[in-house]
Amino acid sequence: MRPLVRWAGSKKKLLPKLSEYWLPTYERYIEAFAGSASLFFHLEPSCALLNDSNNELIEAYNVLKQDPHGLHEKLISIENSEETYYEWRSADTARMSQFDAAVRFFYLNRFCFNGIYRTNRSGQFNVPYGGQKSGAVPTLDEWMQASERLKSAELSSEDFESFVLRNARQGDFVYLDPPYAVSNRRIFRQYSAQTFGVEDVQRLSDVLYEIDQRGAKFVVSYAKSPETKEIALGWKVRQTVAQRNVAGFSEHRRQAVEVFITNI
Ligand SMILES: C[S@@+](CC[C@H](N)C(=O)[O-])C[C@H]1O[C@@H](n2cnc3c(N)ncnc32)[C@H](O)[C@@H]1O
């Protein structure tokens, strides 16, 4: 099935190639930088752990697990217009119930510009309205299916390093799809105030070593860059060409070389 949220950096286009690394015999599917979790929804593993440092996203998934019907009903009752969008965008989530905060998250995600998640320095979502062409709210059936799928997953919101070190064990499959932090190019990576930069590449390399030591398998997807050489040292590498569409402006959407780094 396809993910419910629109997400800059989603790996939709790489799913056929990424799926080749997965075997149903793995005990657990673990995703450290989940975003829209396109690979998880595609593979439909029976036991999963999903993590993302974006707390609003994970809280929204938690509500989706519990109340897909309520979310769908509320979302189709809200008008898709510029005025309503900015009203919801300016609302203070600290004063909202968990349910209303999830409605706000899914509404803004659906109708924002290009499915981008970006906040200002004080953590307030600041992506502009995307116009009428962002697509409709998914059907009730899609909300119900996504909710069922998420019931097989334990969700958490923390930094990838502590998440992986706390969880990975022999028999696991760990997928890591960090924002592309590359020093020589501007690639969209402003997911939130707390994100992944070139200074985190060494931590990622250390985490891969630890996963391997524990007898688990991993796949990292990354943009071909000087950083990939550092991450790939000692592991198997495969390259593929994909259309990258994370920049937000169509003139920045271009073919890019993606690299898979793995111990499989
Ligand atoms: C490229 S996106 C993942 C896309 C995902 N594979 C998909 O198909 O939608 C990277 C994700 O990493 C999350 N992230 C950024 N820094 C992180 C960190 N230090 N620890 C965990 N997650 C992080 C972002 O919030 C974003 O959702």
Side-chain angles (χ1 to χ4, degrees), residues 7 9-11 33-36 38 52-53 158-160 177 191 195:
W7 211 248
S10 151
K11 290 302 166 293
F33 302 86
S36 67
S38 49
D52 196 289
S53 61
E158 61 183 294
D159 178 64
F160 72 98
D177 180 30
Y191 292 92
T195 186

Side-chain angles (χ1 to χ4, degrees), residues 80 85 94 106 126 130 142 171 187 202 216 220 224 233 251 263:
N80 171 17
Y85 178 89
F106 286 119
N126 68 358
E142 288 176 282
I187 292 184
Q202 183 58 49
V220 180
K224 190 176 182 203
L233 219 62
E251 67 268 26
N263 67 342

Side-chain angles (χ1 to χ4, degrees), residues 204-256:
L204 178 63
S205 297
D206 294 347
V207 162
L208 300 185
Y209 180 77
E210 186 60 30
I211 295 171
D212 186 66
Q213 285 290 301
R214 293 184 189 184
K217 299 296 183 190
F218 69 77
V219 177
V220 180
S221 44
Y222 215 83
K224 190 176 182 203
S225 59
E227 285 72 25
T228 34
K229 284 200 191 123
E230 189 181 333
I231 304 166
L233 219 62
W235 309 117
K236 290 175 206 156
V237 179
R238 183 175 160 197
Q239 291 190 6
T240 182
V241 175
Q243 174 88 28
R244 182 177 297 130
N245 59 355
V246 293
F249 295 93
S250 53
E251 67 268 26
H252 293 136
R253 295 178 188 173
R254 52 174 72 113
Q255 298 255 299

Side-chain angles (χ1 to χ4, degrees), residues 120-156:
N120 61 19
R121 282 176 198 278
S122 33
Q124 185 77 10
F125 185 78
N126 68 358
V127 178
Y129 179 58
Q132 293 291 331
K133 53 180 197 284
S134 318
V137 170
T139 62
L140 176 59
D141 201 40
E142 288 176 282
W143 290 91
M144 302 294 270
Q145 280 183 39
S147 173
E148 270 317 300
R149 272 284 84 233
L150 284 174
K151 284 184 183 148
S152 66
E154 210 178 280
L155 305 176
S156 59

Side-chain angles (χ1 to χ4, degrees), residues 1-5 12 36 38 41-42 110 138-139 142 145-146:
M1 65 170 296
R2 62 190 183 102
L4 268 191
V5 297
K12 269 186 301 206
S36 67
S38 49
F41 283 110
H42 178 71
R110 175 55 44 189
T139 62
E142 288 176 282
Q145 280 183 39

